[in-house]
Amino acid sequence: MKERIKLSEHFNYRKLLRFTLPSVVMAVFTSVYSIVDGLFVSKVVGDTAFAGLNLIFPYVMILSAIGMMIGSGGSALIAKTLGEGDEKRANGYFSFLVIAIAVSGVVFGGVGIALLRPVANLFGTDATRETVEQAVLYGFICLLGLPFVMLQYGFQSFMITAEKASLGFLVTVIAGLTNAVFDAVFMLGFRWGLAGAAGATLVGQAVGGIVPILYFARKKNNSLLRFVKPKCEARSFFRACLNGLSELLSNISFSVVSILYNSELLKIAGDNGVIAYGIIMYMSAIFFNTFFGFSLGASPIVGFHYGAGNREELKNLKRKGFAVVAVLGIALTALSEALASPFAKIFATGDEIFVMTRRGIRLYSFCYLLMGFSVFGSAFFTALNNGIVSGAISCIRSLLFQCGSVLAMTAIFRSLDGIWLAATVAEVLAFIMTMTFFLAMRKKYGYGEKTLDKREGEMIE
């Protein structure tokens, strides 16, 4: 059995990839929820239900992202506190933030349900009435389980900080398989249609939210974190939210961009355009989560060494992180091009949708070349407890650059090609912005200065 890698270690490429791999697989597997639902809905229920699912999904994700915000931001605070050597205080923060996520899930779930129909009508201005009704049905059931999905997202970050990323991966796999099994039971067995897909998602998310609670509630576990008397500080909660602001803004921005995409696609290609975009986003979610999972896994390491004042390791992690996302970008772009036809064929229910989706995947794929740099950059600054810079990278990349590119490229091309290429334009701008932030902050955090590497006994840059 391989020895557990600790946050306090020096990370070469092998250790970094070993430590972050469970997080990558966990993040990618999380995408299976929506993909499995989409596959069952498109094949079993039909195009109208599939369009309704994609119409309301951004709204559900905006509310779910609150758990991700508290989890990732709280993990940065906890990792920094562990690096400072205060384990008792770190566990107090952890216990308090878990309670905060659960309470927030109940509150925002209720608010989300109350606003569901007006939001569906707003998002589906150019959609058919039946599509809007399907969107309301799916959204209502999913929002009933909002506390569970928020806890699941929060624990994904907490488990990495607890040096239990493999356990987080296992829980995610079990939750995903539960979702898939109940999709078959509810949709094929009970014939519940779109309601069955939403119900299966709810059950899977309940597993993902409850199992980690049972683990950390044990009096004896060999992780860095455990439940203790909560350290209830408004200041610490605010810091966690500020640190994780980028994750919330990223999801809000992504959802706003999705709404804009759907609006433009409805004008150009009707419901078929929304369906094609939904299929492309399934592939994009897998690839984005590859970058996100790596960044999520590396974040607690960065936070720990920041708290410990180890600037040499911060520089090491920055350089190796850039190298990893660069290689991933090339590999995922090539994979997207190769899988364009088979992936489109899995979901498309007709020749028109198939052709539209295949071309969309091929044009959209170029954005993966640079996507990882801004994702990693945002996570890096989150780990440094700099929520302002982290949030700026995520929000400007996803909201300003993406929305601006969609509107500009649609106006220039006046066709679907302009919409599909907009993401690449946005990622180029985001790459330039991210590198500018890293350059501007290099002296403050020390990852860009010449420092003496005690292990190697030589000056490094």
Side-chain angles (χ1 to χ4, degrees):
M1 183 177 179
K2 293 183 179 179
E3 185 179 352
R4 189 175 77 187
I5 301 174
K6 298 180 180 179
L7 295 176
S8 57
E9 295 185 31
H10 167 64
F11 282 77
N12 54 28
Y13 282 110
R14 183 171 175 272
K15 282 186 178 179
L16 183 60
L17 292 175
R18 269 188 59 199
F19 189 88
T20 57
L21 181 60
S23 305
V24 172
V25 181
M26 177 174 62
V28 170
F29 206 86
T30 301
S31 307
V32 171
Y33 288 156
S34 56
I35 293 175
V36 169
D37 279 351
L39 182 60
F40 270 96
V41 171
S42 65
K43 297 300 183 182
V44 178
V45 187
D47 289 345
T48 300
F50 189 47
L53 183 155
N54 287 310
L55 190 68
I56 204 62
F57 191 71
Y59 177 61
V60 176
M61 283 305 300
I62 288 175
L63 297 174
S64 302
I66 296 170
M68 194 177 296
M69 173 188 69
I70 301 174
S72 60
S75 290
L77 176 62
I78 292 167
K80 178 177 178 291
T81 306
L82 288 171
E84 293 169 344
D86 195 342
E87 185 176 331
K88 180 179 179 181
R89 191 169 161 217
N91 280 295
Y93 286 149
F94 166 64
S95 304
F96 169 61
L97 291 172
V98 170
I99 295 172
I101 291 174
V103 173
S104 298
V106 174
V107 172
F108 284 98
V111 173
I113 290 173
L115 298 176
L116 181 59
R117 184 167 291 278
V119 169
N121 287 329
L122 177 64
F123 289 3
T125 302
D126 296 310
T128 63
R129 174 49 50 187
E130 187 178 355
T131 297
V132 172
E133 291 301 321
Q134 291 289 314
V136 171
L137 173 64
Y138 185 83
F140 176 77
I141 298 174
C142 285
L143 290 176
L144 289 176
L146 190 64
F148 298 126
V149 68
M150 286 176 59
L151 282 168
Q152 182 179 5
Y153 285 151
F155 277 121
Q156 285 178 351
S157 294
F158 292 143
M159 284 185 170
I160 299 168
T161 305
E163 298 179 349
K164 287 293 180 180
S166 296
L167 178 61
F169 161 66
L170 180 61
V171 171
T172 302
V173 169
I174 294 173
L177 292 175
T178 301
N179 183 23
V181 169
F182 278 90
D183 265 325
V185 172
F186 291 162
M187 299 178 70
L188 295 177
F190 295 166
R191 301 290 181 182
W192 286 352
L194 188 59
T201 298
L202 192 155
V203 174
Q205 290 168 345
V207 171
I210 293 173
V211 171
I213 291 178
L214 299 178
Y215 173 78
F216 286 110
R218 296 165 56 197
K219 292 184 178 180
K220 292 183 179 181
N221 67 64
N222 62 346
S223 73
L224 286 181
L225 301 178
R226 58 186 53 83
F227 288 140
V228 297
K229 182 179 179 180
K231 190 171 182 60
C232 302
E233 293 181 356
R235 183 170 175 267
S236 62
F237 180 71
F238 175 76
R239 286 178 62 190
C241 291
L242 184 61
N243 289 342
L245 188 63
S246 60
E247 278 65 32
L248 177 63
L249 291 177
S250 179
N251 277 274
I252 291 176
S253 301
F254 172 78
S255 299
V256 171
V257 171
S258 297
I259 294 164
L260 181 59
Y261 265 96
N262 286 336
S263 177
E264 294 298 315
L265 287 165
L266 283 168
K267 295 174 184 177
I268 297 174
D271 280 356
N272 284 352
V274 176
I275 293 170
Y277 177 67
I279 298 171
I280 294 170
M281 285 302 98
Y282 287 150
M283 176 177 283
S284 179
I286 294 173
F287 290 176
F288 173 85
N289 277 338
T290 302
F291 294 120
F292 179 73
F294 170 74
S295 303
L296 188 70
S299 184
I301 308 172
V302 175
F304 183 94
H305 287 285
Y306 171 58
N310 189 350
R311 293 188 168 192
E312 295 172 2
E313 193 63 21
L314 287 182
K315 182 167 188 176
N316 172 56
L317 292 167
K318 184 203 72 171
R319 298 173 79 177
K320 286 181 170 58
F322 281 165
V324 170
V325 296
V327 173
L328 279 176
I330 296 171
L332 293 178
T333 300
L335 186 62
S336 178
E337 292 288 337
L339 294 179
S341 289
F343 195 85
K345 191 171 293 184
I346 291 174
F347 291 92
T349 55
D351 291 340
E352 182 181 353
I353 296 176
F354 169 74
V355 172
M356 187 185 300
T357 304
R358 180 179 60 184
R359 181 167 180 80
I361 291 174
R362 287 174 174 168
L363 293 178
Y364 193 93
S365 66
F366 295 108
C367 75
Y368 303 128
L369 287 170
L370 297 176
M371 180 184 288
F373 289 93
S374 56
V375 175
F376 177 75
S378 178
F380 194 88
F381 284 106
T382 294
L384 295 176
N385 285 248
N386 192 330
I388 301 298
V389 172
S390 177
I393 292 175
S394 292
C395 190
I396 294 173
R397 167 190 172 267
S398 301
L399 191 58
L400 182 61
F401 291 158
Q402 290 271 13
C403 289
S405 297
V406 170
L407 294 174
M409 295 295 284
T410 303
I412 293 171
F413 286 87
R414 298 185 182 279
S415 68
L416 289 175
D417 285 357
I419 295 180
W420 305 141
L421 289 170
T424 300
V425 174
E427 293 300 343
V428 171
L429 297 173
F431 172 78
I432 296 171
M433 174 190 62
T434 301
M435 293 302 105
T436 301
F437 274 121
F438 267 102
L439 187 63
M441 295 288 172
R442 69 189 187 283
K443 291 185 178 180
K444 178 177 180 179
Y445 295 109
Y447 54 70
E449 296 179 344
K450 291 183 178 180
T451 55
L452 180 64
D453 190 327
K454 297 177 181 178
R455 291 176 304 274
E456 300 175 6
E458 59 183 13
M459 297 300 290
I460 61 174
E461 295 183 349

